[in-house]
Amino acid sequence: MVQYNPPIRDYNFLLHEVFNVIEMNQRLGYEGFDRDTIDMMIEEWADLMQTTWLPSNVDGDRIGSTFTNGKVTTPPSFKTAWNAAVEGGWFATVAKAEHGGLEAPLFLRNAMDEFAISSNMALSTIGALSLGVYELISEHAEQKLIDMYAEKVALGEWCGTMCLTEPHAGTDLGIINSKAEPQNDGSYKISGTKIFITFAEHDLSENIVHMVLAKLPNSPEGTHGISLFLVPKYLSQDGLLSEQVNGVTCSGIEEKMGLHGSPTCVLNFDESIGWLVGEENCGMKLMFEMMNRERLATGMMGIGLGEVAYQNSLQWCKERRQGRDLKGTKDMHESADSILVHPDVRRMLLKVKANNEGSRALGTWVGTLLDELKRGDSEGKVHAEALVSLLTPIIKAHATDLGCESTSLCIQVMGGAGYCTEYGVEQFYRDVRIAPIWEGTNGIQSLDLAGRKITKNFGKNLRHLMWPLLEFIEENRDDARMSKYTKPLYQNVKGLQQLTLLMISEGMGNPHFLAGSATDYTSYFGNTMLAFMWAKMAGVCIEAQKAGVQDDFYKAKLALADVFFNEILPDNIGLAAKVQSGHKHLMEYPEVLL
Ligand SMILES: Cc1cc2nc3c(=O)[nH]c(=O)nc-3n(C[C@H](O)[C@H](O)[C@H](O)COP(=O)(O)OP(=O)(O)OC[C@H]3O[C@@H](n4cnc5c(N)ncnc54)[C@H](O)[C@@H]3O)c2cc1C
């Protein structure tokens, strides 16, 4: 049986000690969310996830969602788990009060997303998608649509989907074929086939609200000619469901490597009635807006599955005995020592733990920046926008790559048991593998970072990042206990600046150079950001110890910071060499010999 203890203490530390969210809440008009309220919400959500979502996870994998005669049936325990969260009003946590929401700060979603993902990633996807659909409707749809759909979707009574991908158009959405024909009453008839659509058909809610990308007649070529439409499964009148089906049919679901509980559907629209959301031909812009939140939520998948895999493999390792400590037998009364005496076992476990906790800190920071972006003053908004723009592709790509590496290491550290279904860890490895693919592949995230985000506004985004980083290093320069973190951090920040200049200068003349180096550049960037997070966390722990607080939590954090700076950050040396070596060896290899 899989175990999971939501990392509540770590979130308390991050929210209150590292990022001081209560000060931010007061400044941004979230006064109702004081420390007690935030902590209570996190604890209650954690409890709900442990008691209802976690037990259903294995059903998602073994029973899966099944397809018969156009209908998708989820495992029975999914309904119990989903309904428990809907009845508690949890999905509307960050929604507007007028739609039944609490208007809670957005950073709270990080903890909620992570606990949900660790407990049942397949089920968590529908909640994350529905939140994105709610945001699109409430921010960009006409009032009539807001009145009909926003509250139902906010509360999770109706679910939402994102319909972008078509059989011939995945990354390259500019070539989609789905069409929208304007009607005299202001609606549109949508026709086309979408594939790979998550939870496009299911039995968890009475209606499903699809956000569909399609092209209007005579629209411009490419992504500038795509519009966004709201297309419900059932048409509704004044928010009440009518049984009138809307020409939306599911013709099958995919067999997949993992995430069996989350149905991946082929969805056909046959003159389905829909309504434009936002302006004509602005569909991609709106989708990208929604994706800031979705990409952070996807990054949380790497962290959530890395965490639950770590907890379960650690539990197993604590009981496993093999071999003897190389420095001499540890446990004379047993035939073998615990495998935790072996440096290589510790290397694997601690690497996972350090990457999980560093990525969690980065995700939390991005969560708070989304609040600054939403409610900050004009200066705060500019700063937050620059940072969110840079850090979103990093958290999406780096945290999900690390999630794959972490779940793989968690199998490895368990030996053969890790490969066996009985212990549950192999499911996390299979489930997390989608995260680097969807919401824009990690390759595309890296191109976005290297090709657009760092060059945008003549490098202004990067300057917004360098200020707090260099300021932090300067502030801590004279602290003897901090120098083992700030010195390597400084070297890597300088390295990042040099690599960025190289990417821009070489990339301008030769886009293949930039594209060939983008993934390694993103990993270098990601590691440097985690180094910043680890140095920040170490600073808080050192200050607490100086103030006389004796707490093993701080001791463990500082020891883990040492793991990060000695075991993980040095990877940047190799990554820098790869960025510098560019693209020639890749592009000169003859295609016919591939
Ligand atoms: C389980 C699952 C659930 C999904 N859920 C949804 C959903 O709910 N809604 C939805 O709309 N879609 C969904 N998708 C689709 C998903 O977003 C796409 O699979 C993803 O965007 C990649 O598109 P593709 O599969 O067509 O790959 P392709 O676009 O064919 O890419 C293949 C490879 O080529 C690379 N590549 C492509 N173009 C470029 C380029 N210009 N430069 C460099 N490299 C490039 C990619 O990085 C990738 O490695 C889902 C997919 C899966 C498997």
Side-chain angles (χ1 to χ4, degrees):
M1 170 78 180
V2 162
Q3 307 289 316
Y4 173 57
N5 287 310
I8 293 176
R9 176 70 173 93
D10 211 24
Y11 271 104
N12 285 343
F13 170 69
L14 290 172
L15 296 178
H16 303 305
E17 296 179 65
V18 180
F19 294 108
N20 197 2
V21 295
I22 300 307
E23 180 277 321
M24 184 188 83
N25 282 358
Q26 283 160 355
R27 188 164 43 79
L28 299 185
Y30 291 121
E31 293 89 351
F33 293 89
D34 58 13
R35 182 165 183 161
D36 285 349
T37 309
I38 296 278
D39 293 354
M40 185 196 66
M41 287 176 78
I42 288 181
E43 277 168 33
E44 285 188 9
W45 176 252
D47 185 54
L48 185 75
M49 293 298 99
Q50 269 180 310
T51 52
T52 62
W53 282 43
L54 185 64
S56 65
N57 191 38
V58 70
D59 293 346
D61 194 48
R62 309 260 172 96
I63 305 170
S65 286
T66 53
F67 177 79
T68 322
N69 298 331
K71 297 280 171 217
V72 172
T73 308
T74 57
S77 57
F78 269 40
K79 295 170 191 75
T80 316
W82 179 256
N83 289 340
V86 173
E87 280 157 21
W90 284 102
F91 290 113
T93 304
V94 297
K96 293 179 180 171
E98 67 208 75
H99 304 137
L102 292 180
E103 302 198 9
L106 298 174
F107 66 77
L108 201 57
R109 289 287 318 182
N110 282 45
M112 291 181 67
D113 284 347
E114 185 184 333
F115 301 172
I117 289 158
S118 294
S119 302
N120 186 337
M121 172 166 153
L123 193 57
S124 77
T125 57
I126 184 173
L129 283 164
S130 299
L131 175 61
V133 168
Y134 164 74
E135 282 173 356
L136 278 176
I137 297 173
S138 62
E139 296 299 325
H140 301 289
E142 281 176 19
Q143 194 58 44
K144 176 183 80 171
L145 294 178
I146 295 177
D147 293 344
M148 266 196 264
Y149 294 97
E151 185 170 345
K152 294 271 187 197
V153 176
L155 294 171
E157 289 173 13
W158 293 354
C159 293
T161 76
M162 213 163 75
C163 302
L164 291 71
T165 309
E166 299 185 3
H168 69 295
T171 301
D172 189 0
L173 290 169
I175 57 173
I176 60 168
N177 284 336
S178 292
K179 300 254 176 293
E181 286 290 338
Q183 305 298 298
N184 291 336
D185 64 356
S187 69
Y188 295 79
K189 284 196 171 165
I190 314 292
S191 299
T193 297
K194 298 285 179 180
I195 62 162
F196 291 165
I197 308 304
T198 298
F199 272 105
E201 170 57 31
H202 59 83
D203 55 0
L204 295 176
S205 67
E206 33 173 21
N207 202 1
I208 303 173
V209 181
H210 305 289
M211 301 304 295
V212 186
L213 290 184
K215 288 196 161 184
L216 290 163
N218 307 318
S219 57
E221 290 286 301
T223 50
H224 296 295
I226 295 178
S227 304
L228 180 66
F229 298 89
L230 183 157
V231 185
K233 175 179 170 185
Y234 294 113
L235 292 166
S236 63
Q237 300 289 333
D238 302 329
L240 295 172
L241 201 61
S242 100
E243 275 303 296
Q244 196 183 341
V245 286
N246 190 19
V248 186
T249 50
C250 173
S251 55
I253 62 174
E254 306 292 338
E255 293 287 330
K256 310 193 289 291
M257 170 182 182
L259 220 63
H260 299 145
S262 166
T264 306
C265 308
V266 178
L267 201 63
N268 305 300
F269 296 93
D270 185 9
E271 299 202 335
S272 309
I273 295 172
W275 294 272
L276 185 69
V277 175
E279 306 277 311
E280 287 184 2
N281 301 325
C282 288
M284 286 305 288
K285 187 172 157 276
L286 297 189
M287 271 295 176
F288 280 131
E289 204 174 281
M290 166 174 168
M291 278 180 183
N292 262 347
R293 182 58 244 167
E294 297 296 329
R295 285 184 175 151
L296 172 57
T298 307
M300 298 310 291
M301 290 171 188
I303 303 165
L305 289 194
E307 176 66 36
V308 69
Y310 170 77
Q311 290 189 19
N312 284 277
S313 61
L314 174 66
Q315 198 54 38
W316 189 92
C317 289
K318 280 181 177 170
E319 285 163 22
R320 184 69 175 164
R321 292 177 174 277
Q322 292 290 293
R324 290 296 187 188
D325 186 342
L326 291 171
K327 279 192 159 181
T329 299
K330 267 267 163 55
D331 204 341
M332 300 292 268
H333 306 295
E334 298 285 349
S335 57
D337 284 335
S338 156
I339 61 170
L340 293 174
V341 303
H342 304 306
D344 193 53
V345 166
R346 283 170 169 259
R347 175 189 64 80
M348 290 187 264
L349 283 171
L350 288 170
K351 196 172 177 192
V352 172
K353 189 169 167 60
N355 276 328
N356 283 345
E357 293 183 22
S359 303
R360 180 176 298 126
L362 185 62
T364 304
W365 187 29
V366 178
T368 61
L369 289 168
L370 289 176
D371 283 308
E372 294 280 2
L373 186 56
K374 187 172 170 187
R375 292 198 174 188
D377 58 22
S378 54
E379 200 183 325
K381 275 188 175 157
V382 170
H383 182 61
E385 188 178 9
L387 292 181
V388 167
S389 164
L390 273 180
L391 297 176
T392 299
I394 292 173
I395 191 87
K396 195 286 175 183
H398 197 54
T400 59
D401 280 346
L402 291 179
C404 291
E405 184 190 314
S406 294
T407 50
S408 174
L409 281 172
C410 287
I411 290 177
Q412 188 68 21
V413 81
M414 293 170 72
Y419 196 68
C420 294
T421 310
E422 182 183 348
Y423 300 95
V425 175
E426 58 83 38
Q427 183 192 340
F428 305 133
Y429 176 69
R430 288 183 287 108
D431 285 355
V432 79
R433 190 59 189 83
I434 185 60
I437 297 173
W438 63 16
E439 294 297 338
T441 63
N442 284 2
I444 297 298
Q445 301 302 313
S446 302
L447 287 177
D448 179 43
L449 176 71
R452 285 201 302 149
K453 298 290 173 61
I454 58 170
T455 47
K456 208 172 154 189
N457 310 334
F458 305 103
K460 197 187 79 187
N461 289 346
L462 207 59
R463 285 200 295 280
H464 275 278
L465 181 63
M466 289 302 153
W467 292 335
L469 257 168
L470 294 170
E471 200 176 72
F472 172 84
I473 293 168
E474 183 61 28
E475 275 169 10
N476 290 282
R477 212 175 53 168
D478 299 329
D479 188 323
R481 284 185 72 188
M482 282 297 284
S483 64
K484 64 177 166 176
Y485 310 121
T486 49
K487 273 190 186 155
L489 176 62
Y490 183 71
Q491 282 160 2
N492 280 273
V493 169
K494 286 284 145 200
L496 181 61
Q497 285 176 322
Q498 283 161 9
L499 289 179
T500 305
L501 279 178
L502 179 73
M503 293 289 278
I504 294 172
S505 56
E506 284 288 321
M508 248 176 338
N510 191 340
H512 275 172
F513 179 92
L514 190 134
S517 302
T519 291
D520 292 319
Y521 173 78
T522 304
S523 300
Y524 188 104
F525 207 142
N527 281 336
T528 308
M529 288 303 99
L530 294 202
F532 179 34
M533 293 296 104
W534 270 113
K536 246 176 121 61
M537 291 192 283
V540 172
C541 297
I542 289 169
E543 285 306 312
Q545 287 183 339
K546 278 187 196 160
V549 183
Q550 297 293 327
D551 187 338
D552 277 351
F553 179 86
Y554 298 128
K555 210 169 138 188
K557 273 280 178 222
L558 287 168
L560 202 54
D562 290 352
V563 171
F564 182 84
F565 279 93
N566 289 287
E567 190 62 43
I568 298 169
L569 191 59
D571 287 350
N572 270 4
I573 296 167
L575 288 166
K578 288 203 280 175
V579 172
Q580 283 156 355
S581 71
H583 65 290
K584 281 199 178 131
H585 53 289
L586 304 174
M587 299 315 282
E588 284 174 1
Y589 189 92
E591 197 166 324
V592 286
L593 298 181
L594 273 169

